[in-house]
Amino acid sequence: HNLIFNNQTINRYKDTVFEAKGPKVEQLRKLKSSIENIQGCNLKKNATNIVFSDGNPNSQIMIIGEGPGANEDKEGYPFVGRAGILLDKMLLSIKLDRKKVYITNVVNFRPPENRSPTEKEIEIYLPYLNKHIQIIDPKILILLGSTALNTILGDIEVISKVRGKWFKKKIGNCEVFVIASFHPAFLMRQ
Ligand code: URA
C-alpha cells in the first residue's frame, strides 16, 4: 500500500531532478558529485546510497528535512518512507505535488540507527547545503524539524514557537523567505 497514493502508482525511481531542463541541472550534477567525493565522513562510509534530492529544481519552493532514513538510503531519494508519505499528504492538502517542489536534507547520507546528525556532521555538509540553496535559488524555503531550523536559522527558538512564522534570510546571493514546520516523523509520533 505504500506504493499506491491517491489511487495512482508512483514511480519512485524516476529521477525528475536530472531530467529537468535549464542551467541548474549541470550545477546540481557537479554538486552531487562533490558530495559523493566527500572524504573522511562516517555517514558516507555506513550508507548504501547518497540521497541528494527529489522534485523540480526550477521550483520556487525548496523543502529541507534532516537526513535520510532506511528507506531513503535504500532508494536514494529523500522522504520516500513513512514520513515521506505524510509529507506528500501535507503537500497535497495545499494542492502541491512532491514533483512540483524541490526536496533535500541537511545531510545527504543516512545517520546510523536513525539518529540525528551530530553538529560535526552538519558542519561537513553545511557548505554543500548552502551551495544547493544558491543553485535552486528558491523564493520560499520550508524547514522541516529542528535540525533544519537550527542549521539554517541558528538556535533562535524552539520549533513549536517559530513554526508558521516568516523569516527573511540571505544565503550567498540568494534572498529567501524561510518558514519552519514540524517534521512529519515527529507528527507521526504524537
Ligand atoms: N526524514 C528526513 O528528515 N528526511 C528524509 O529524507 C526522510 C526522513
Side-chain angles (χ1 to χ4, degrees):
H1 74 279
N2 283 351
L3 294 174
I4 305 288
F5 179 65
N6 203 20
N7 291 328
Q8 286 177 330
T9 54
I10 300 172
N11 181 355
R12 293 185 178 280
Y13 297 97
K14 189 166 161 47
D15 199 315
T16 51
V17 174
F18 293 103
E19 281 177 2
K21 301 227 174 332
K24 291 177 183 174
V25 177
E26 203 36 50
Q27 288 175 279
L28 291 172
R29 218 181 283 285
K30 279 193 191 138
L31 178 67
K32 184 177 179 188
S33 141
S34 49
I35 298 171
E36 278 164 338
N37 290 320
I38 284 179
Q39 300 298 317
C41 171
N42 281 332
L43 295 185
K44 185 181 144 187
K45 279 186 208 135
N46 292 317
T48 310
N49 282 306
I50 182 171
V51 176
F52 185 67
S53 65
D54 195 16
N56 175 7
N58 297 310
S59 176
Q60 306 219 356
I61 301 172
M62 181 170 184
I63 298 178
I64 303 179
E66 179 179 289
N71 291 291
E72 289 76 20
D73 181 52
K74 211 188 285 169
E75 294 194 24
Y77 292 101
F79 285 102
V80 293
R82 270 162 39 86
I85 290 170
L86 181 54
L87 175 63
D88 289 348
K89 289 180 181 176
M90 289 159 79
L91 290 172
L92 200 69
S93 77
I94 52 168
K95 304 216 162 26
L96 280 176
D97 183 301
R98 71 143 52 211
K99 295 294 179 192
K100 285 196 184 140
V101 298
Y102 188 80
I103 308 173
T104 190
N105 282 307
V106 171
V107 298
N108 303 99
F109 291 99
R110 181 193 180 202
E113 279 112 45
N114 294 339
R115 64 165 172 77
S116 296
T118 63
E119 270 181 33
K120 228 171 161 196
E121 288 160 351
I122 292 172
E123 215 173 273
I124 295 175
Y125 288 85
L126 186 56
Y128 300 98
L129 180 62
N130 281 334
K131 178 82 188 162
H132 210 155
I133 296 167
Q134 287 172 71
I135 294 171
I136 300 301
D137 193 17
K139 214 175 231 174
I140 291 172
L141 205 53
I142 302 176
L143 309 175
L144 294 179
S146 42
T147 299
L149 171 70
N150 297 340
T151 302
I152 298 296
L153 292 183
D155 292 325
I156 42 165
E157 256 288 12
V158 289
I159 193 144
S160 53
K161 289 262 163 55
V162 294
R163 76 192 179 102
K165 290 186 186 156
W166 289 102
F167 296 87
K168 222 172 174 184
K169 172 98 182 159
K170 204 163 186 306
I171 298 169
N173 288 330
C174 166
E175 275 209 50
V176 274
F177 290 100
V178 185
I179 197 164
S181 188
F182 286 136
H183 194 288
F186 167 80
L187 292 174
M188 283 191 308
R189 288 196 297 270
Q190 300 307 299

